[in-house]
Amino acid sequence: MKLASLFPAPLPTAPSVGLLLLRLVAGIAFMFHGWSKIQNPFAWMGAEAPVPGILQALAALSEFGGGLAWVLGLLVPLASLGLFFTMAVATHVHAVVKGDPFVGHAGSYELPLLYLVIAVVLMTVGPGRFALDTWLRKKLG
């Protein structure tokens, strides 16, 4: 098995432009969401949080680091997997535990579900032609 096969094959230019825009906007948003969490990774949910510190740190790392990976187009499938699990938990918490509506002013599960779906798209389709993953595939292949 060649190391290059770990990186998705590049797509044509037009869909790659769309994926680049999706990665940039969603990645920057994730970096903003994760920035405050990465400042206090083991306790960003507060002292009374029912989530262990290690899981809080993994969520902070997946949001900030995964967002950066999306922006760069680097290890996109792996970053997307981490973000998928983080957003699956966030969607469950808002939809099931809190009973928030799909769209609402006080709270909803719309945004984590949207990010979850973006992670699935990037895991299955790849980052597109304009990504460091594509450059690595060429160098390793």
Side-chain angles (χ1 to χ4, degrees):
M1 177 176 161
K2 286 187 175 182
L3 193 55
S5 66
L6 296 174
F7 300 98
L11 297 170
T13 300
S16 291
V17 169
L19 288 169
L20 174 63
L21 292 172
L22 181 68
R23 284 190 359 253
L24 289 175
V25 172
I28 290 169
F30 259 123
M31 289 177 71
F32 276 110
H33 282 292
W35 179 250
S36 62
K37 296 170 185 161
I38 208 80
Q39 302 304 307
N40 187 15
F42 293 94
W44 59 266
M45 295 178 94
E48 302 297 319
V51 179
I54 188 69
L55 295 179
Q56 292 180 52
L58 287 172
L61 179 64
S62 74
E63 287 187 20
F64 186 78
L68 180 60
W70 279 3
V71 167
L72 297 174
L74 181 63
L75 303 174
V76 170
L78 181 62
S80 298
L81 183 63
L83 289 167
F84 170 84
F85 285 118
T86 302
M87 292 300 101
V89 170
T91 300
H92 173 77
V93 166
H94 282 281
V96 178
V97 176
K98 292 184 174 182
D100 289 341
F102 176 60
V103 177
H105 296 291
S108 72
Y109 62 94
E110 169 191 10
L111 193 56
L113 183 60
L114 178 62
Y115 283 136
L116 183 148
V117 171
I118 292 171
V120 169
V121 168
L122 292 174
M123 271 192 298
T124 57
V125 176
R129 181 177 304 268
F130 309 111
L132 287 177
D133 282 352
T134 303
W135 180 82
L136 285 171
R137 182 182 174 89
K138 288 178 188 175
K139 289 293 180 189
L140 298 172

